[in-house]
Amino acid sequence: MLKEVVSAEFEGLANEGVVLVDFFSATCGPCKMLSFVLNDVEKTLGDQVKILKVNFDENKDLTAKYEVKGYPTIIILKDGVEVKRLQGLQQKPALIKALQEQL
């Protein structure tokens, strides 16, 4: 199960290791489809990466900090530093490749 986080808990979870952050909106169709893809990614990579979901509409401070302009936006962090950004619906092979490049 993917973890949806709020601003208060984000920093503690996103500063260590490889973390995929999915900025989404509950009303966004592609965001809902991406959740299924991310579940598959999580099953494939297991504990090698963390996947966090951030509600775009409810966490404006994080969307401003990371300059997220639309959704879905995926940001890959390594030890708290942004290393890759992807916009829109992504497929599992592309996400796996992007994450494995950081392991």
Side-chain angles (χ1 to χ4, degrees), residues 25-70:
S25 172
T27 59
C28 163
C31 297
K32 292 175 184 175
M33 292 189 296
L34 182 60
S35 286
F36 293 109
V37 174
L38 293 176
N39 276 319
D40 285 347
V41 169
E42 185 178 53
K43 288 176 189 168
T44 300
L45 294 179
D47 292 338
Q48 296 180 69
V49 300
K50 280 186 250 176
I51 299 177
L52 305 177
K53 294 181 66 64
V54 175
N55 188 309
F56 180 92
D57 302 309
E58 296 175 3
N59 297 281
K60 293 292 186 189
D61 55 333
L62 286 175
T63 60
K65 176 182 177 179
Y66 287 96
E67 299 177 357
V68 176
K69 305 295 184 211

Side-chain angles (χ1 to χ4, degrees), residues 81-96:
V81 177
E82 181 177 335
V83 292
K84 189 160 187 88
R85 181 179 294 235
L86 303 163
Q87 299 282 117
L89 180 60
Q90 302 294 314
Q91 297 304 313
K92 181 181 174 183
L95 291 174
I96 296 282

